[in-house]
């Protein structure tokens, strides 16, 4: 059963509440907080991307630099630096964006989307390279070339690359094998329980320097804007919390870990993004991070009415 976690209070009245499940684990992997259904598998969506990127490194992918590894892990906003990294990766292995098997989309970033619609990138229609998962798809194509695997049909669960991804996620999470889903970008999505997702992020954060796990964690830590975008939740949260590695997923999923191996994962039942930042900050406060003005601002985004603040979105006091 899920629990009440975040509330929206407008002009003194409780307007609505967001329910969900959350777990915090200690460095030994044992939970210090478990609310709701933390042992049942969910679709982690893009919180699985770091483990997909680890698969690529384990199978010979060698990025030019850390930013290229970050774009392979990204849910990017389609901003100019994001597109430049994806194009560089495609060019290096002889592909163009038509080789990507993700669906065409508009940029996820507000400004980038407006500029695309205005034709400032010579296009005003959805494109595959704009899709927030295009960096991951480009790196997957590169890994197929390196291993002599087919570069078409790499979305298929039976493709050698996807078989490797499934094996890697099982190895890192310890999650029992179950039926796969299909993610928004068309790739298979491996279900993972929240407790095992948190433990997986702890493993990334504490892995030995130079290991595939640590390389991915460091790329995320060092390039939070590359893996997200302007004013994105992951960017703002990692800026406020040095050493944190975290990654959002669609439909209200978030997971992250501190350098000492304390980690969290949660799922908001209704998937609403407005619940994400207050809950993440409340979790970090519960985990004992050094609290700053930046955390305070992120923990209580305003509800606006007529351009004025008329309410607040906040974690329910005492819920986390």
């Amino acid at each position: 059963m899920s629990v009440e976690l975040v509330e929206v209070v407008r002009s003194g009245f409780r307007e609505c509440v967001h329910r969900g499940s959350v777990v915090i684990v200690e460095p030994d992997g044992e939970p210090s907080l478990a609310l709701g259904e933390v042992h049942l598998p969910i679709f982690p969506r893009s919180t699985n991307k770091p483990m997909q990127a680890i698969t690529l490194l384990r199978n010979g992918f060698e990025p030019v630099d850390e930013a290229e590894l970050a774009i392979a892990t990204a849910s990017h906003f389609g901003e100019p630096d994001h597109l430049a990294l994806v194009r560089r990766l495609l060019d290096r292995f002889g592909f163009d964006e038509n080789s990507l098997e993700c669906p065409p989309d508009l940029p996820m970033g507000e400004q980038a989307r407006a500029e695309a619609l205005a034709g400032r990138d010579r296009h005003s229609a959805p494109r595959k390279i704009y899709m927030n998962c295009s960096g991951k798809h480009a790196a997957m194509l590169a890994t197929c070339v390196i291993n002599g695997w087919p570069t078409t049909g790499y979305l298929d669960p039976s493709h050698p690359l996807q078989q490797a991804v499934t094996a890697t996620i099982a190895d890192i999470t310890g999650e029992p094998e179950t039926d796969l889903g299909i993610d928004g970008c068309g790739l298979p999505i491996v279900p993972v329980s929240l407790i095992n997702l948190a433990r997986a992020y702890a493993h990334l954060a504490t892995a030995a320097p130079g290991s595939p796990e640590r390389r991915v964690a460091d790329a995320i830590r060092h390039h939070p804007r590359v893996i997200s975008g302007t004013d994105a939740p992951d960017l703002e949260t990692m800026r406020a919390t040095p050493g944190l590695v975290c990654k959002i997923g669609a439909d209200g999923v978030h997971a992250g870990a501190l350098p000492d191996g304390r980690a969290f994962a949660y799922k908001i039942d209704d998937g609403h993004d407005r619940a994400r930042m207050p809950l993440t900050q409340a979790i970090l406060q519960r985990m004992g991070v050094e609290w700053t003005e930046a955390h305070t601002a992120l923990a209580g985004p305003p509800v606006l009415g007529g351009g004025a603040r008329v309410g607040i979105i906040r974690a329910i006091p005492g819920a986390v």
Side-chain angles (χ1 to χ4, degrees):
M1 179 180 294
S2 59
V3 294
E4 293 186 349
L5 295 170
V6 174
E7 62 185 357
V8 182
V9 180
R10 184 189 294 269
S11 302
F13 293 92
R14 194 187 204 201
E15 184 176 76
C16 67
V17 63
H18 296 279
R19 301 174 64 88
S21 302
V22 59
V23 64
I24 299 173
V25 298
E26 294 300 306
D28 63 2
E30 292 302 307
S32 60
L33 176 73
L35 302 173
E37 304 287 0
V38 303
H39 294 282
L40 294 179
I42 63 161
F43 290 127
R45 306 296 299 273
S46 286
T47 56
N48 272 1
K49 281 179 177 172
M51 292 181 283
Q52 291 170 321
I54 290 166
T55 305
L56 308 185
L57 293 177
R58 288 183 176 184
N59 285 274
F61 174 62
E62 192 55 48
V64 167
D65 52 29
E66 203 173 54
E68 190 170 275
L69 181 54
I71 202 68
T73 314
S75 299
H76 66 73
F77 276 22
E79 295 173 318
D81 55 333
H82 300 135
L83 302 182
L85 283 166
V86 178
R87 288 191 183 104
R88 187 184 75 179
L89 181 51
L90 288 170
D91 290 346
R92 187 153 60 88
F93 286 88
F95 295 107
D96 61 30
E97 68 177 278
N98 292 321
S99 302
L100 299 169
E101 294 187 2
C102 57
D105 203 352
L106 288 169
M108 196 156 59
E110 184 176 340
Q111 182 63 33
R113 186 186 312 115
E115 291 180 358
L117 289 170
R120 295 182 186 176
D121 193 28
R122 303 188 307 280
H123 296 270
S124 58
R127 298 175 59 185
K128 291 183 177 184
I129 199 169
Y130 290 155
M131 204 270 166
N132 76 89
C133 300
S134 65
K136 173 178 70 174
H137 282 251
M140 286 185 171
L141 282 170
T143 306
C144 289
V145 170
I146 291 164
N147 288 277
W149 297 332
T151 56
T152 58
Y154 67 87
L155 299 181
D156 194 300
S158 65
H159 189 281
L161 176 63
Q162 300 313 323
Q163 294 282 302
V165 168
T166 300
T168 296
I169 293 177
D171 174 51
I172 294 174
T173 65
E175 190 76 25
E177 185 175 342
T178 187
D179 292 338
L180 303 178
I182 301 297
D183 213 342
C185 67
L187 284 165
I189 182 69
V190 180
V192 180
S193 64
L194 289 174
I195 191 164
N196 283 336
L197 188 62
R199 288 167 175 163
Y201 272 71
H203 176 63
L204 268 65
T206 59
S211 64
E213 294 88 339
R214 182 62 171 273
R215 290 178 66 188
V216 169
D218 286 345
I220 294 170
R221 287 173 175 139
H222 299 159
H223 299 277
R225 220 198 77 79
V226 172
I227 66 111
S228 55
T230 302
D231 299 329
D234 281 329
L235 172 64
E236 297 301 322
T237 301
M238 283 189 275
R239 276 180 174 170
T241 316
L244 176 70
V245 54
C246 66
K247 183 75 188 69
I248 67 168
D251 295 331
V253 184
H254 206 182
L258 296 169
D260 64 1
R262 288 174 293 155
F264 71 89
Y266 67 74
K267 169 76 172 76
I268 300 296
D269 285 352
D270 64 10
H272 207 300
D273 271 347
R274 69 183 173 188
R276 190 189 301 279
M277 291 299 270
L279 180 55
T280 298
Q281 308 315 309
I283 290 168
L284 292 173
Q285 189 170 41
R286 171 70 180 255
M287 292 170 72
V289 304
E290 184 177 350
W291 202 248
T292 67
E293 290 183 6
H295 289 106
T296 299
L298 296 171
V303 177
L304 301 179
R309 182 177 183 138
V310 297
I312 190 172
I313 306 167
R314 66 188 181 191
I316 294 172
V320 177

